[in-house]
Amino acid sequence: MELSPVCTEAAQAAESYTSFYQQEIQRSCVTVKVMLNVSSTGLVGPQPEDIRPEALWKTPKNPLWQPWSRPESVICFGKEPQDMSKKMLVVSAHGADWCTRAGGTILKYVNAGWEVTVYALTFGEHGESGAYWKDHWGTNVEEVKHCRKTEAQAAAAFMGVKRIEFFDYGDYPLDMGTSRVQDLICRIMDLRPDVILTHWIDDPFNMDHEITGKAVVRAVSACGMRGAIPDTDPHFIPDIFFFETTMPHSEFNHFEIDTYLDIGDVFEKKIQAVKLFAAQPQLVEYYTRCAKNRGVQANDWSRGRRSIQYAEGFKRYVPYLGDCLPVSSLEERFIKEDGYV
């Protein structure tokens, strides 16, 4: 008897669920955090006991909740995962924000075997494509969208992002009404990420960023409530980290970093990815300077334990939970007479 597609996927989900418990759970620190330890971020995310087979295949009654459908805007790269890998979700207001602000962090997690998904709420066609508009007199919005989508797809594929989804909500101004927040809730419940990266929630210089960050917080809060989606287990609050605000105005936007990640080992690849966003050529210089500046700050906090040249900064939203205090994961390094190694 041939199984229906839904039954087949349910069986595969159950098989993955079983194998998940059979394999040894290994936690490894893949990031460098100077002020607080990022190595334990998984503690706040969904633990094995929170993942039940019925939650993976049951189709809830809510018509907005369609876990087995994949929008045309979803672009997949590589093979589908065969196990319950750790998941990171990056929610970006515009087509390039996720790469410029968290590209180094994304690369480190991809290299460590995490599945990274990007949600781009807009293409940035109106307010973040100045070079394209300037160089293409007579163009139209749809052509600009196509350009930005192509750039983002290329960057995501280059970096090893599992998939990138384009919501096409329109930018400057971006509106995130109730129905759009509800859709975001459904998507997060479907994905069930362990870590979420998104925009800082106080960015009057660019309200698209602020609106995105606040929408993510609203959605995640709802995901933790049983009954948010009928017949679906809640997804308790994952670790949320806010990345850089509008550059170069972090101080104006009250962005106070409490987390630094050393991205020196992946910085060149990040910049190669940023260069793919040709509609915003200024991003290369902006985020090279930003990474150097954050590197100077992180290096000062390291106090000789590591020589840090490039870093990305974040502000943690939810508190750390664990059995021990978060301790910086920097390794001790030999200090030469003429300075730090």
Side-chain angles (χ1 to χ4, degrees), residues 236-253:
F236 298 106
I237 298 177
D239 281 344
I240 301 176
F241 293 89
F242 299 117
F243 44 60
E244 297 279 354
T245 67
T246 301
M247 292 299 297
H249 306 288
S250 298
E251 292 76 13
F252 177 79
N253 295 326

Side-chain angles (χ1 to χ4, degrees), residues 11-33:
Q12 292 174 345
E15 182 179 355
S16 297
Y17 171 81
T18 302
S19 64
F20 177 79
Y21 277 96
Q22 292 176 342
Q23 58 182 304
E24 179 182 1
I25 300 176
Q26 297 179 343
R27 302 185 186 278
S28 60
C29 177
V30 297
T31 63
V32 175
K33 187 171 183 183

Side-chain angles (χ1 to χ4, degrees), residues 110-123:
V110 167
N111 292 343
W114 282 51
E115 297 174 18
V116 178
T117 297
V118 175
Y119 291 166
L121 301 188
T122 80
F123 296 104

Side-chain angles (χ1 to χ4, degrees), residues 200-218:
W200 172 232
I201 55 178
D202 184 8
D203 195 344
F205 200 83
N206 189 320
M207 290 298 294
D208 284 7
H209 297 164
E210 179 175 323
I211 289 169
T212 297
K214 289 181 176 178
V216 170
V217 171
R218 288 183 65 191

Side-chain angles (χ1 to χ4, degrees), residues 28-45:
S28 60
C29 177
V30 297
T31 63
V32 175
K33 187 171 183 183
V34 179
M35 297 179 68
L36 295 174
N37 187 9
V38 188
S39 63
S40 303
T41 53
L43 291 175
V44 184

Side-chain angles (χ1 to χ4, degrees), residues 39 43 52 177 221 240 272 328 339:
S39 63
L43 291 175
R52 303 176 178 84
S221 298
I240 301 176
Q272 290 179 49
S328 296

Side-chain angles (χ1 to χ4, degrees), residues 26-296:
Q26 297 179 343
R27 302 185 186 278
S28 60
C29 177
V30 297
T31 63
V32 175
K33 187 171 183 183
V34 179
M35 297 179 68
L36 295 174
N37 187 9
V38 188
S39 63
S40 303
T41 53
L43 291 175
V44 184
Q47 300 302 299
E49 60 270 24
D50 294 326
I51 305 176
R52 303 176 178 84
E54 65 268 23
L56 299 175
W57 58 263
K58 183 184 292 185
T59 304
K61 301 175 182 177
N62 191 321
L64 293 175
W65 176 242
Q66 300 175 356
W68 300 113
S69 66
R70 173 165 286 165
E72 294 181 358
S73 58
V74 177
I75 308 300
C76 295
F77 306 102
K79 298 180 179 179
E80 291 291 336
Q82 299 301 315
D83 59 7
M84 297 289 190
S85 301
K86 288 287 188 178
K87 297 178 181 179
M88 171 182 285
L89 171 63
V90 188
V91 184
S92 176
H94 309 111
D97 293 335
W98 59 275
C99 181
T100 55
R101 290 162 166 79
T105 300
I106 291 171
L107 285 167
K108 293 177 78 74
Y109 274 80
V110 167
N111 292 343
W114 282 51
E115 297 174 18
V116 178
T117 297
V118 175
Y119 291 166
L121 301 188
T122 80
F123 296 104
E125 65 272 14
H126 291 292
E128 310 243 331
S129 306
Y132 191 90
W133 285 104
K134 182 179 179 180
D135 296 337
H136 297 79
W137 288 96
T139 191
N140 56 60
V141 172
E142 292 306 314
E143 289 181 1
V144 178
K145 286 182 180 180
H146 177 74
C147 167
R148 301 319 309 272
K149 182 176 182 178
T150 301
E151 292 174 349
Q153 288 175 357
F158 176 71
M159 295 171 63
V161 169
K162 182 61 184 177
R163 72 175 185 263
I164 181 168
E165 300 184 22
F166 303 95
F167 290 30
D168 194 13
Y169 284 164
D171 65 326
Y172 289 82
L174 166 64
D175 175 59
M176 287 296 290
T178 301
S179 62
R180 290 181 174 181
V181 173
Q182 181 65 43
D183 180 67
L184 187 57
I185 293 170
C186 293
R187 292 171 184 264
I188 292 175
M189 291 284 272
D190 184 15
L191 183 63
R192 295 181 178 266
D194 301 282
V195 175
I196 296 179
L197 307 182
T198 192
H199 293 271
W200 172 232
I201 55 178
D202 184 8
D203 195 344
F205 200 83
N206 189 320
M207 290 298 294
D208 284 7
H209 297 164
E210 179 175 323
I211 289 169
T212 297
K214 289 181 176 178
V216 170
V217 171
R218 288 183 65 191
V220 169
S221 298
C223 288
M225 304 299 175
R226 183 170 297 280
I229 298 178
D231 301 324
T232 304
D233 285 332
H235 179 58
F236 298 106
I237 298 177
D239 281 344
I240 301 176
F241 293 89
F242 299 117
F243 44 60
E244 297 279 354
T245 67
T246 301
M247 292 299 297
H249 306 288
S250 298
E251 292 76 13
F252 177 79
N253 295 326
H254 313 113
F255 182 65
E256 298 180 355
I257 297 173
D258 61 16
T259 305
Y260 292 90
L261 273 70
D262 180 357
I263 63 167
D265 56 330
V266 295
F267 173 73
E268 292 301 328
K269 187 169 185 177
K270 171 185 175 176
I271 293 302
Q272 290 179 49
V274 174
K275 289 180 179 179
L276 295 174
F277 294 94
Q280 291 179 279
Q282 75 278 11
L283 296 179
V284 175
E285 180 182 0
Y286 271 31
Y287 287 93
T288 296
R289 289 186 177 185
C290 180
K292 287 182 177 180
N293 182 44
R294 299 312 183 198
V296 169

Side-chain angles (χ1 to χ4, degrees), residues 334-340:
F334 176 73
I335 302 178
K336 296 182 178 179
E337 294 181 358
D338 58 346
Y340 300 146

